[in-house]
Amino acid sequence: MGAAFMTLPLAWKDPLGATDGGTKVEIETAAQETVEADVFGPVKIQLEGFRPIYNEVLFLEMRPAG
C-alpha cells in the first residue's frame, strides 16, 4: 500500500497555521512502526504554475536519518 496523505514534519504544523480542527490518528510507517500523527483537511495545496488541489495533510514527528 502506498502513501495516502501529503506528509509534513510536525514542526511545521504551527507555522503553517494548522492549530484547530485536526484529528489524531495512528499510522504504520514503512519501517512497520506504529506512530501517532495529526491529520488536517481538506486544505488547499498549490505550487506555482500548477492548479490548486484540496487534500488532507498529515503532520508527523520526523527524526533525522543516521
Side-chain angles (χ1 to χ4, degrees):
M1 183 175 284
F5 301 100
M6 171 183 272
T7 303
L8 298 173
L10 184 61
W12 293 12
K13 188 173 105 173
D14 289 339
L16 291 175
T19 56
D20 294 325
T23 302
K24 295 269 186 208
V25 295
E26 284 191 350
I27 61 164
E28 185 175 330
T29 67
Q32 298 179 337
E33 230 184 322
T34 300
V35 296
E36 192 173 85
D38 296 326
V39 175
F40 286 82
V43 297
K44 180 180 177 181
I45 303 166
Q46 185 170 12
L47 299 174
E48 187 175 335
F50 293 88
R51 67 176 177 80
I53 62 169
Y54 294 84
N55 203 353
E56 294 180 307
V57 176
L58 181 119
F59 290 96
L60 177 65
E61 184 66 49
M62 296 185 182
R63 296 178 296 247

